[in-house]
Amino acid sequence: MLTETSLSIWGWGSLGIVLSLITFGPFVIFYLAFYILCFVGGGFVVTLLFGKTNSEKYLEQCEHSFLPPTSTGIPKCLEEMKREARTIKIDRRLTGANIIDEPLQQVIQFSLRDYVQYWYYTLSDDESFLLEIRQTLQNALIQFATRSKEIDWQPYFTTRLVDDFGTHLLVFRKAQQKITEKDDQVKGTAEDLVDTFFEVEVEMEKDVCRDLVCTSPKDEEGFLRDLCEVLLYLLLPPGDFQNKIMRYFVREILARGVLLPLINQLSDPDYINQYIIWMIRDSNCNYEAFMNIIKLSDNIGELEAVRDKAAEELQYLRSLDTAGDDINTIKNQINSLLFVKKVCDSRIQRLQSGKEINTVKLAANFGKLCTVPLDSILVDNVALQFFMDYMQQTGGQAHLFFWMTVEGYRVTAQQQLEVLSSRQKDGKHQTNQTKGLLRAAAVGIYEQYLSEKASPRVTVDDYLVAKLADTLNHEDPTPEIFDDIQRKVYELMLRDERFYPSFRQNALYVRMLAELDMLKDPSFRGSDDGDGESFNGSPTGSINLSLDDLSNVSSDDSVQLHAYISDTGVCNDHGKTYALYAITVHRRNMNTEEMWKTYRRYSDFHDFHMRITEQFENLSSILKLPGKKTFNNMDRDFLEKRKKDLNAYLQLLLTPEMMKASPALAHYVYDFLENKAYSKGKGDFARKMDTFVNPLRNSMRNVSNAVKSLPDSLAEGMTKMSDNMGKMSERLGQDIRQSFFKVPPLIPKTDSDPEHCRVSAQLDDTVDDNIPLRVMLLLMDEVFDLKERNQWLRRNIKNLLQQLIRATYGDTINRKIVDHVDWMTSPEQVADLVKRFRDAFWPNGILAETIPCRDKGIRMRTRVAGKTKLLSIMPDELKHIIGAETTRKGILRVFEMFQHNQLNRRMVYVFLEGFLETLFPQYKFRELFNKLHSRSKQMQKYKQKLQTTQAPSLQKR
């Protein structure tokens, strides 16, 4: 049954297929599939449309049933945004001074244009945001200007600023000393100096160190951001400060767009060197200063840069095709450049070989030194200081103090007797009182130095002491009462092997010559490898070849000698006034060029003229020396006329014809022009060596002037304290001795260790000195390291500065300081500073391009030029007061301090911190800065060191 049914289904099915194929053809299958697909697709579309319509209706019903109605504010905001933006009016007044506001507005405009607009317009055309930033900046500037007007800037500029600079220099000097003490043989690198500098800073400051800010760019940017945010908090209205987006924009503009580029520029050593040269652009470079800088340089890069430039100029000059008079000029220039090149090569060779370069040590080793007479030492402030130190070491200071005290007594007695004589002529009688005061002073000197109770006692012949005591008891004292004993003391110091003879063999004598500028740098003669060295100890610092060779030079045509009087001066020595002439001498040959100065009186010229005319009779009719005239009748015009006449005499004397006519004349001429004591043919020791130690070069001051100016001295007491004359001589002696043993010091010290405290901590606020004097003392102490000198010299320096200030300004100095500070902060000066800032960053209204790094050779030559300029402008009077070597070291130390970028940044940040502390005195900026610098690595090391050192003491307790 099932089989039949199965056959029936397959039969009917097959029949249907066959009939379909016959009826519809072979595509019946495709049509059937298409019809089915259309049916299914149509059903799906109908279902989708029906569901969508019902869903929208349902959602609409749900929205109206559960959600609140739409706010009307949103459509209104959209309408306001679509409208055209309204113009916002900004008040362009900032400081109240139009001359400041105009360039300041330009700075704001340029800052927004170059730091904000260039990227903001790519996001939006709406300018309201830019206007809001501008308004925020203006609000901050208005608050800043208002605050600045309320501050008295005089203490900051006259005390705080100078103290910060002096302390910075003090830290640098101590860092240099530490580097030197670590290893004298190996020179520390710049990185070692920077690390040591911040070690010393934290030891001095105790609670702050700025090493991270100065050495890490990332930490520096973070510091500036934090600082700008604090300033915005103080300067902006609360509403503007709460706007974070606006605050961050303004902070970044100030930190990265204004402060950071400015600090980068101010701390760049090359920029500082160029600025130094620009500041003293009116001063011409001195040849002698330039050669001193080359010979003192320990930087091989500087020497190579100068040598390469000299070689370049030599190549150019040799390529010139010239004839006539120009050829001589070019030859002289070539010789000069060859000399400079030779000096540079010698110095480089010595530095690379690791040999000694210290002038004082070289002089001590070679031993070829000048001889300075004792009487010249006693009348020179700088030389006397070293002799004092030596006499203390040998126990002979009492003899020196006695000699100086007697000099002071003689000067004062002469003054008082002159005053007494003039008063007697006017009918005023005070004879007994004045003589009583002189007697009391003389007795005081006797009791202090010559009596049996004196300690220490000056050892002289007993009969001289007895004779003096008898004179004091029976006769009126005279200015010459101590002359016999003083002469004996002088002879003792001169001839006793313990004193002056041994002093000439001591290292202090070499240092004294260095301070008097009577040492020379080493010269290299012989082989090319630097062997065969010699040290020339002639009293000049400007040439390398020994002047002793002059006397051996023949009158060869290859040697050219030229001399002229470059300066004149008036000198006072032991009450005698005379004129002194500075002779500049140039000596050239085919390979070398030399230049030096020597000093001669008219009597030297006269003696020289007499000697050569006696030796060479043919010269008497040719050479005519100007007639002699006493100085008392001279005036400045006469000195200039005498200078011209003597110059004409020298020019005639040095003509080649004159030398050829008398070949032996060269020896006398060289002897006269050498920078040494001129041995007069008809003189004796009584005429001494007046021209050797001369006032124009070495400031040979009469000791009476120094003694008269000592504070609380005999000379001052004679004129101001007539009722206490008996104690004057004792005070003078105590003043000299206390200055030696530094009791009391010039500036009273604080309880803290002066080696680890700021400069201002050593100033006594109770001292009745005006501000300029204290500032000058502070700067001189640190620049020239005068704290290491004995107090006698420092007292002289202090007194000299007092006299200088009083003579120049009198009692109006404080008012002048205030006026100058007011001028510095005046609208005109502030406007000028703003304009300079604008022109520096936006020249011609265009953002300045990044200045390309200058070539190393140019930067090195700029350093040499800067040092030369600084050394050239130092007045000779300063060298006479503190010494030539000390002056050079101080100036070069200051210059070297500016050659380290990290240290310059530290100084800029110290100035900035002091400025903000002054501007916002009511806020705790000092604590804020301590917190900002608290992550310092050096600070952490210092705290660990303190804990380590304090732990044992706590355990003992």
Side-chain angles (χ1 to χ4, degrees), residues 606-622:
H606 184 268
D607 184 85
F608 169 73
H609 180 73
M610 294 295 295
R611 292 173 69 179
I612 62 174
T613 53
E614 289 177 2
Q615 187 72 21
F616 309 97
E617 295 181 358
N618 61 323
L619 297 181
S620 58
S621 61
I622 303 175

Side-chain angles (χ1 to χ4, degrees), residues 310-512:
E312 180 182 338
E313 291 294 324
L314 279 171
Q315 185 178 4
Y316 169 74
L317 291 175
R318 286 168 174 167
S319 66
L320 295 178
D321 185 13
T322 57
D325 295 337
D326 293 340
I327 191 65
N328 293 328
T329 303
I330 292 178
K331 283 184 177 179
N332 293 335
Q333 293 177 355
I334 290 176
N335 290 334
S336 299
L337 291 172
L338 286 173
F339 178 70
V340 171
K341 186 172 180 295
K342 179 180 178 181
V343 173
C344 291
D345 288 334
S346 299
R347 187 72 176 177
I348 292 172
Q349 193 175 20
R350 191 168 190 86
L351 289 171
Q352 291 177 341
S353 63
K355 296 181 180 179
E356 182 62 60
I357 60 175
N358 186 280
T359 306
V360 176
K361 293 181 179 179
L362 284 171
N365 293 334
F366 284 99
K368 190 177 181 181
L369 305 173
C370 302
T371 300
V372 182
L374 178 60
D375 56 347
S376 299
I377 292 176
L378 294 175
V379 296
D380 183 80
N381 292 335
V382 176
L384 183 58
Q385 173 207 181
F386 291 95
F387 191 56
M388 272 180 153
D389 292 339
Y390 178 78
M391 293 294 282
Q392 182 194 19
Q393 295 177 6
T394 58
Q397 63 268 29
H399 299 79
L400 179 59
F401 294 160
F402 171 77
W403 190 93
M404 295 175 63
T405 306
V406 170
E407 281 293 309
Y409 168 81
R410 178 187 298 108
V411 172
T412 304
Q414 290 174 351
Q415 290 179 345
Q416 293 301 308
L417 292 178
E418 289 176 1
V419 172
L420 177 62
S421 176
S422 62
R423 288 183 176 180
Q424 287 178 342
K425 292 179 180 180
D426 296 338
K428 300 177 181 179
H429 300 282
Q430 293 183 348
T431 305
N432 295 332
Q433 182 180 4
T434 302
K435 291 183 178 180
L437 295 175
L438 292 176
R439 182 184 300 279
V443 171
I445 296 176
Y446 173 82
E447 294 291 338
Q448 185 172 349
Y449 292 103
L450 301 173
S451 67
E452 296 293 337
K453 299 178 181 179
S455 178
R457 186 173 183 265
V458 175
T459 56
V460 292
D461 296 337
D462 292 338
Y463 78 92
L464 291 176
V465 177
K467 179 181 177 182
L468 174 63
D470 183 69
T471 303
L472 289 174
N473 292 329
H474 299 91
E475 299 179 12
D476 293 332
T478 62
E480 299 81 15
I481 192 172
F482 292 100
D483 281 5
D484 292 339
I485 298 180
Q486 187 188 28
R487 191 178 301 109
K488 284 290 184 181
V489 170
Y490 176 83
E491 292 178 358
L492 178 66
M493 291 190 296
L494 177 65
R495 306 188 185 284
D496 194 319
E497 288 296 329
R498 297 174 299 165
F499 303 140
Y500 176 70
S502 297
F503 173 62
R504 289 183 53 192
Q505 308 300 323
N506 194 274
L508 288 172
Y509 184 78
V510 182
R511 291 177 55 192
M512 181 196 75

Side-chain angles (χ1 to χ4, degrees), residues 39-272:
F39 177 77
V40 174
F44 180 77
V45 170
V46 171
T47 304
L48 180 62
L49 293 175
F50 178 77
K52 181 177 180 299
T53 303
N54 290 334
S55 298
E56 289 178 351
K57 292 180 180 180
Y58 180 76
L59 290 174
E60 185 177 357
Q61 292 176 359
C62 293
E63 182 180 357
H64 289 291
S65 300
F66 303 104
L67 297 177
T70 304
S71 174
T72 58
I74 295 178
K76 290 185 177 181
C77 287
L78 295 176
E79 291 179 4
E80 290 290 337
M81 293 177 64
K82 292 178 181 179
R83 291 180 183 178
E84 185 177 356
R86 295 177 300 175
T87 303
I88 300 178
K89 296 183 179 180
I90 297 180
D91 190 355
R92 299 181 64 85
R93 294 175 297 178
L94 297 174
T95 64
N98 293 330
I99 57 175
I100 301 178
D101 293 347
E102 182 179 353
L104 205 54
Q105 287 288 354
Q106 292 178 347
V107 171
I108 296 175
Q109 179 182 349
F110 294 154
S111 300
L112 293 176
R113 181 195 66 189
D114 295 324
Y115 294 107
V116 179
Q117 291 180 4
Y118 81 95
W119 59 264
Y120 176 74
Y121 282 140
T122 61
L123 302 177
S124 174
D125 296 332
D126 185 21
E127 295 187 356
S128 59
F129 176 74
L130 299 177
L131 294 175
E132 289 294 339
I133 292 182
R134 188 186 188 100
Q135 186 64 50
T136 302
L137 286 174
Q138 292 193 174
N139 290 336
L141 288 174
I142 291 172
Q143 292 295 325
F144 180 83
T146 303
R147 177 74 63 177
S148 299
K149 295 177 183 178
E150 299 173 354
I151 300 299
D152 179 15
W153 291 104
Q154 179 187 346
Y156 174 75
F157 285 108
T158 58
T159 304
R160 175 64 185 267
L161 190 68
V162 181
D163 174 44
D164 288 339
F165 178 79
T167 302
H168 185 83
L169 181 59
L170 173 63
V171 176
F172 179 76
R173 178 169 56 81
K174 291 188 177 300
Q176 282 186 321
Q177 293 175 355
K178 275 196 170 184
I179 291 291
T180 305
E181 292 171 359
K182 286 181 180 178
D183 196 339
D184 293 335
Q185 302 298 326
V186 180
K187 182 182 177 182
T189 62
E191 292 76 10
D192 295 336
L193 179 62
V194 172
D195 293 339
T196 308
F197 178 91
F198 288 110
E199 289 179 8
V200 177
E201 181 194 21
V202 72
E203 291 176 358
M204 184 169 296
E205 298 285 355
K206 300 291 192 302
D207 53 359
V208 65
C209 185
R210 303 168 182 85
D211 56 337
L212 279 183
V213 175
C214 299
T215 58
S216 172
K218 182 178 179 181
D219 290 297
E220 183 180 19
E221 292 179 5
F223 173 80
L224 290 176
R225 288 194 184 99
D226 295 338
L227 183 60
C228 289
E229 192 149 355
V230 172
L231 292 177
L232 292 177
Y233 172 78
L234 297 175
L235 298 175
L236 291 181
D240 292 340
F241 182 78
Q242 295 300 328
N243 188 337
K244 291 186 177 181
I245 297 178
M246 192 74 63
R247 185 173 80 235
Y248 291 159
F249 272 118
V250 176
R251 183 192 69 182
E252 291 299 316
I253 291 174
L254 291 177
R256 295 182 58 85
V258 178
L259 289 180
L260 190 58
L262 182 61
I263 293 172
N264 288 336
Q265 186 174 23
L266 294 178
S267 58
D268 181 20
D270 190 49
Y271 172 80
I272 296 176

Side-chain angles (χ1 to χ4, degrees), residues 834-951:
V834 175
K835 290 178 182 178
R836 290 184 182 182
F837 176 81
R838 177 200 62 192
D839 296 338
F841 282 85
W842 292 277
N844 299 321
I846 302 174
L847 182 64
E849 297 181 358
T850 302
I851 300 177
C853 184
R854 302 203 307 164
D855 179 72
K856 179 182 178 181
I858 297 177
R859 288 187 282 114
M860 290 294 105
R861 287 192 291 273
T862 304
R863 287 181 54 162
V864 174
K867 288 191 284 188
T868 304
K869 284 275 191 179
L870 286 175
L871 206 59
S872 298
I873 65 171
M874 288 297 105
D876 290 339
E877 289 75 14
L878 184 62
K879 299 177 183 179
H880 301 156
I881 296 172
I882 62 178
E885 185 71 11
T886 299
T887 302
R888 279 195 293 266
K889 285 184 178 180
I891 295 302
L892 296 180
R893 181 187 299 116
V894 174
F895 187 86
E896 180 63 26
M897 181 183 69
F898 289 122
Q899 305 312 306
H900 303 273
N901 187 285
Q902 298 93 333
L903 307 189
N904 294 337
R905 302 184 93 84
R906 188 260 180 192
M907 185 166 59
V908 172
Y909 281 117
V910 168
F911 289 162
L912 178 61
E913 292 173 10
F915 176 81
L916 293 177
E917 290 179 27
T918 306
L919 188 63
F920 302 99
Q922 70 275 29
Y923 300 108
K924 300 179 180 180
F925 261 94
R926 172 49 50 195
E927 297 180 5
L928 172 65
F929 289 129
N930 291 347
K931 291 180 180 179
L932 293 178
H933 296 303
S934 59
R935 294 187 298 109
S936 165
K937 296 180 181 179
Q938 294 290 351
M939 194 70 199
Q940 296 173 2
K941 292 181 181 178
Y942 178 73
K943 290 181 178 179
Q944 293 176 357
K945 181 180 178 181
L946 283 181
Q947 294 176 356
T948 305
T949 55
Q950 292 175 357

